[in-house]
Amino acid sequence: MSDLVLYGYQEEVVQRALQGENIIVWLPTGAGKTRAAVFVAHKHLERTPGAKVVVLVNTVHLVDQHYSKEFHPALGHHYAVTAVSSDSDRKDFLGLVLRDKDVLVCTAQILLNALTSNEEAKHVELSDITLLVVDECHHTHKETVYNKIMRLYLEKKMRGDKRLPQVLGLTASPGSGGAKSLDKAVQYVLQICANLDCAIVCTKNCTEELNMKVPKPVKRFDIVEERQEDPFGDHVQWMMRQIHCFMQPPEDFIPREFGTQDYESNIVALQKRGVEECNRRLIRCAIHLREYNDALLINDTLLMEDALCSLKDFYRETTIIDDTDRFLVNLFQDNQAKLTTLARDLRFTNPKMEQLESTLRRHFSPSVESRGIVFSKTRKSTSCLHQWVLANDSLRSAGIKSAIITGSAGMTQQDRDKTIRNFRLGSVNLLIATSVAEEGLDIPQCNLVVRYGLLTNEIAQQQANRRARAQDSHYSLVAERGSREERREHLNTYLAGLTAKAVDKIHQMSPREFRANIDELQARAMLCNRMAEIQMMEKNGRYLSANVQLLCGNCLTAVAQGSDIQLLDNMHYVNVNPQFRRHYKKGSPVLLKKTFEDWEPGCRIKCNNGNCNKQWGYEIKFRKVALLPNVAIKDFALQTPSGRTTVKKWKDVPFTVEHFSFSEYFCLFDYS
């Protein structure tokens, strides 16, 4: 630890934490928040008998990064430091792990599971922890896992329990919550402080040193004019109008503009109405219209051929059950050749893609060593952009060598580390990333950051902005003139300034005034939480689980009862009734890029009713013995005593889902 020296601005922001106060450290991306936290943890371990430090992160890929690059190298020589992630069996013995270790790095969900578990080996009390470090703590709001942990903290605090850990929050921006006025921004930041039971600190005396260490990039708006002609998009919209005529929508249905998020919300509501009214034509047309709307959104941001591929993939999996399906499939097949011709017509290329190419060419050349990141919205868009770079002769001649960075659902930690290592060494010089790279990842300095096709808040904007922290770096927004992306970028800049003003105003409060505000907000939050819990219990207990049927979301055949569903490991909703197997057939194996101690994926499952083939989820093998169908509620409709409905998430079902018991499962069902 003797070689761990802080910059002056880091020393400034940790002073109150070193005195034992609960503090949120606000420093920009790249300024060394984690290093400051390591320093505080070391001093805490030195001064506190029986100290136990728990470092919480909000994504799996940050567990190993914080452990292997920060906490273990700095503290591992003198203290027992470990990391526990979701693919480790030690998550089921977290209580025992914490007893043996001094510092634990884990995801927030793992700690929450341990705090709420009744199993002795797994259970952890907040009083077992002496310092709780909350990384990216601006996520401590609403129903996030961070906030659920802090509610347990506040419940103990309000009962007078003094055996609570010191809290150290880390953030690149607390955010404004979208507030448009200073007073509302102040209230939002105060609420974050109340949720974490912390004051907030930032650099005041060492700003010059901070700005030298993390320079602000030159900001540029690379704006293009609206597409003059878009025959591909026009033809997709013509096809959507044909579907509207065929489906005979309700008289009160007013469609929004095609190719927008508003239209998607519009059509999702129409699909739900079709389920409630037992109108399969309405359901299927709504599902297909959503795919066409997605194609328009892709066409707006990427290549026409990418939009066409999205439709082809959907119709490749579509089967015909009745005349509705026949009409929809024939409509696409009859127009596929026309769409293909239009998608390949180079006269109507996307001007945003041309501008992105120009922006990249401006900063890359074979004779200049450059590093850049392009942030895009989805894993699909990153893949499409990567393929576009590989096929673009102009970009290849500029020396651009791209790779993809996505979250844990799309990449393993090993693949992500390898990509970042290649980026650091120069064999890759352009990362095409989803928002995973905006927050937390240890990515080397860049001289170019581009935001492309993104609508995010000011927190994400600031985090992406500070990724461009090489000297003379640039930050570019590529967007259409007057678009939502351009308007949002201007709004985010305003909100970032508003957040800074809000924090300044909070700092002007006396300690007594600040504490009074925090106490009031905490009391109100606890009351609201209790009311929400009561409402959720009433909602989940509205019907007996045995009185609710699950219907296939495509053919509407009844295939299961609510009482067949149990929650396994607070993660998997599985059907424990062996009779369910006759309702599905197996498809291709599910291949995940990482392994888990307790379970492994099996085959995909889909509806076995005639030609339905609706995907429902996949089988999992639990503890190498129990083969259980893991199903997604969004793929089903619910038949309740009051009628049919749909929900997107299991937490919203109107019945209670019991927890899975391995021993009870084998008592109930004999597989011999």
Side-chain angles (χ1 to χ4, degrees):
M1 276 298 299
S2 58
D3 60 342
L4 182 59
V5 178
L6 299 185
Y7 290 100
Y9 66 83
Q10 292 171 316
E11 290 183 351
E12 180 184 355
V13 296
V14 300
Q15 284 307 307
R16 292 171 65 180
L18 293 174
Q19 296 167 19
E21 289 187 54
N22 287 2
I23 292 297
I24 296 171
V25 169
W26 175 21
L27 286 175
T29 298
K33 294 183 296 296
T34 311
R35 180 57 57 92
V38 171
F39 188 86
V40 173
H42 176 243
K43 295 300 182 184
H44 180 85
L45 288 162
E46 281 185 334
R47 300 168 182 172
T48 309
K52 298 289 181 181
V53 179
V54 173
V55 182
L56 297 183
V57 297
N58 64 321
T59 53
V60 173
H61 59 263
L62 291 178
V63 174
D64 182 66
Q65 177 177 299
H66 279 40
Y67 167 76
S68 61
K69 296 189 177 181
E70 296 285 358
F71 284 90
H72 187 261
L75 304 175
H77 295 297
H78 302 288
Y79 300 98
V81 184
T82 192
V84 177
S85 57
S86 58
D87 56 356
S88 168
D89 62 342
R90 291 191 299 166
K91 70 182 186 296
D92 295 322
F93 308 98
L94 203 70
L96 298 177
V97 172
L98 191 58
R99 285 174 217 165
D100 292 337
K101 303 296 181 181
D102 302 308
V103 182
L104 166 67
V105 183
C106 66
T107 60
Q109 187 63 59
I110 286 175
L111 179 62
L112 180 61
N113 292 347
L115 290 171
T116 56
S117 173
N118 293 321
E119 299 175 26
E120 184 178 351
K122 184 175 185 177
H123 182 69
V124 169
E125 285 285 344
L126 281 169
S127 57
D128 299 332
I129 304 167
T130 58
L131 174 64
L132 186 66
V133 180
V134 185
D135 188 45
E136 307 294 355
C137 68
H138 51 270
H139 291 298
T140 313
H141 62 94
K142 297 182 180 178
E143 294 305 309
T144 63
V145 182
Y146 278 170
N147 212 23
K148 290 177 181 178
I149 291 172
M150 290 311 299
R151 281 176 187 161
L152 297 175
Y153 176 103
L154 292 177
E155 285 173 3
K156 287 181 174 292
K157 178 192 170 185
M158 298 185 82
R159 288 199 302 264
D161 194 335
K162 303 295 185 183
R163 300 171 302 157
L164 291 170
Q166 179 187 354
V167 179
L168 176 64
L170 309 174
T171 183
S173 173
S176 66
K180 304 300 191 295
S181 69
L182 179 57
D183 286 344
K184 289 185 177 179
V186 167
Q187 283 302 303
Y188 181 81
V189 177
L190 281 172
Q191 186 65 67
I192 294 292
C193 292
N195 293 346
L196 286 154
D197 198 37
C198 285
I200 184 168
V201 295
C202 57
T203 303
K204 295 291 186 184
N205 303 321
C206 302
T207 53
E208 185 176 343
E209 181 190 40
L210 174 61
N211 290 333
M212 288 180 62
K213 174 63 178 174
V214 191
K216 293 182 180 178
V218 176
K219 189 169 186 177
R220 175 171 174 146
F221 284 76
D222 288 324
I223 303 300
V224 301
E225 299 301 326
E226 183 179 0
R227 230 173 187 162
Q228 293 302 307
E229 293 183 85
D230 183 15
F232 177 88
D234 292 342
H235 196 71
V236 169
Q237 292 192 41
W238 175 84
M239 295 171 70
M240 294 171 75
R241 287 192 289 272
Q242 305 309 303
I243 298 176
H244 272 261
C245 292
F246 173 79
M247 77 175 175
Q248 301 172 355
E251 292 183 2
D252 59 350
F253 174 71
I254 303 175
R256 306 287 181 88
E257 181 184 355
F258 292 157
T260 64
Q261 297 294 339
D262 288 339
Y263 180 80
E264 179 176 325
S265 300
N266 198 211
I267 214 71
V268 167
L270 192 66
Q271 179 186 347
K272 185 169 185 175
R273 184 165 174 175
V275 171
E276 293 169 349
E277 297 175 358
C278 305
N279 185 337
R280 190 174 185 277
R281 175 182 287 200
L282 205 59
I283 297 169
R284 295 305 299 165
C285 287
I287 290 171
H288 285 245
L289 284 168
R290 187 174 181 181
E291 293 295 327
Y292 281 105
N293 195 64
D294 284 347
L296 289 176
L297 291 169
I298 294 170
N299 180 54
D300 180 61
T301 306
L302 302 167
L303 300 175
M304 293 179 286
E305 289 191 352
D306 295 327
L308 179 57
C309 284
S310 176
L311 289 171
K312 286 180 177 178
D313 290 344
F314 173 72
Y315 279 97
R316 195 175 294 117
E317 299 294 327
T318 300
T319 54
I320 295 175
I321 294 178
D322 58 16
D323 289 342
T324 295
D325 297 321
R326 190 168 290 107
F327 167 81
L328 294 166
V329 170
N330 287 342
L331 177 67
F332 177 73
Q333 291 178 345
D334 291 346
N335 286 273
Q336 185 173 346
K338 173 75 170 176
L339 289 172
T340 301
T341 300
L342 292 172
R344 294 174 179 172
D345 194 327
L346 298 180
R347 293 175 297 168
F348 308 112
T349 55
N350 189 340
K352 292 182 193 174
M353 296 286 282
E354 293 176 340
Q355 181 58 63
L356 178 60
E357 179 180 340
S358 175
T359 299
L360 294 174
R361 283 294 308 264
R362 193 165 60 241
H363 293 275
F364 285 87
S365 73
S367 60
V368 177
E369 186 176 338
S370 297
R371 297 282 192 283
I373 306 178
V374 176
F375 286 109
S376 191
K377 184 177 181 180
T378 64
R379 292 199 303 272
K380 183 178 181 64
S381 62
T382 61
S383 176
C384 291
L385 287 171
H386 176 56
Q387 294 302 318
W388 169 71
V389 171
L390 293 178
N392 189 303
D393 292 336
S394 175
L395 295 179
R396 289 207 315 275
S397 66
I400 294 178
K401 297 160 286 188
S402 67
I404 295 170
I405 286 281
T406 65
S408 55
M411 290 184 81
T412 64
Q413 181 66 40
Q414 183 178 6
D415 289 341
R416 196 178 297 105
D417 289 343
K418 180 180 179 182
T419 299
I420 294 173
R421 183 167 60 253
N422 290 338
F423 188 66
R424 184 175 285 108
L425 294 172
S427 57
V428 168
N429 57 13
L430 179 68
L431 296 178
I432 303 174
T434 55
S435 59
V436 65
E438 290 175 335
E439 193 169 273
L441 277 183
D442 181 27
I443 293 175
Q445 293 182 355
C446 300
N447 57 296
L448 175 66
V449 165
V450 182
R451 282 167 62 81
Y452 186 76
L454 278 178
L455 276 171
T456 55
N457 60 23
E458 74 277 16
I459 297 174
Q461 182 211 51
Q462 291 299 302
Q463 289 172 328
N465 186 313
R466 293 293 186 149
R467 288 291 174 197
R469 55 181 185 260
Q471 291 296 328
D472 302 320
S473 59
H474 290 76
Y475 169 92
S476 169
L477 171 76
V478 176
E480 185 179 288
R481 188 175 305 283
S483 64
R484 294 175 68 196
E485 290 89 348
E486 184 188 17
R487 296 196 304 272
R488 184 73 212 193
E489 192 73 16
H490 287 297
L491 176 60
N492 285 341
T493 300
Y494 166 75
L495 292 178
L498 194 64
T499 301
K501 291 178 182 177
V503 174
D504 281 342
K505 193 166 183 178
I506 290 170
H507 286 164
Q508 293 168 19
M509 295 178 179
S510 67
R512 184 175 180 180
E513 181 185 4
F514 175 78
R515 194 68 250 174
N517 275 286
I518 296 303
D519 289 345
E520 180 183 349
L521 289 169
Q522 289 177 346
R524 189 186 307 167
M526 287 297 98
L527 178 60
C528 291
N529 184 50
R530 281 193 287 270
M531 292 176 63
E533 286 177 351
I534 292 170
Q535 290 172 355
M536 182 61 73
M537 289 175 63
E538 291 175 348
K539 178 181 177 181
N540 292 151
R542 186 176 178 187
Y543 307 112
L544 292 174
S545 57
N547 293 340
V548 177
Q549 286 185 310
L550 273 66
L551 316 180
C552 172
N554 183 29
C555 65
L556 300 180
T557 302
V559 295
Q561 291 180 307
S563 53
D564 297 334
I565 307 299
Q566 292 185 2
L567 177 57
L568 172 65
D569 276 358
N570 288 316
M571 184 186 307
H572 308 288
Y573 286 85
V574 296
N575 191 317
V576 299
N577 189 340
Q579 297 304 313
F580 181 59
R581 294 178 186 175
R582 61 190 178 89
H583 292 292
Y584 70 79
K585 51 190 172 185
K586 298 182 182 182
S588 59
V590 174
L591 302 176
L592 300 180
K593 293 185 176 181
K594 59 181 180 179
T595 59
F596 301 88
E597 291 289 337
D598 289 340
W599 65 277
E600 59 187 77
C603 294
R604 301 182 192 279
I605 60 174
K606 48 190 175 181
C607 182
N608 195 30
N609 181 36
N611 292 327
C612 180
N613 293 321
K614 171 70 175 176
Q615 294 282 352
W616 288 345
Y618 58 92
E619 288 184 327
I620 63 174
K621 183 176 285 188
F622 183 64
R623 294 184 180 173
K624 304 187 184 299
V625 179
L627 194 63
L628 301 165
N630 179 34
V631 294
I633 192 60
K634 64 181 178 61
D635 296 325
F636 296 86
L638 299 176
Q639 180 69 56
T640 75
S642 302
R644 287 184 183 176
T645 188
T646 59
V647 295
K648 293 181 180 180
K649 298 180 179 179
W650 277 106
K651 69 179 181 63
D652 296 321
V653 296
F655 58 89
T656 301
V657 177
E658 302 294 336
H659 283 267
F660 177 84
S661 168
F662 189 68
S663 57
E664 290 180 10
Y665 175 73
F666 278 95
C667 289
L668 286 172
F669 305 112
D670 181 11
Y671 285 88
S672 57

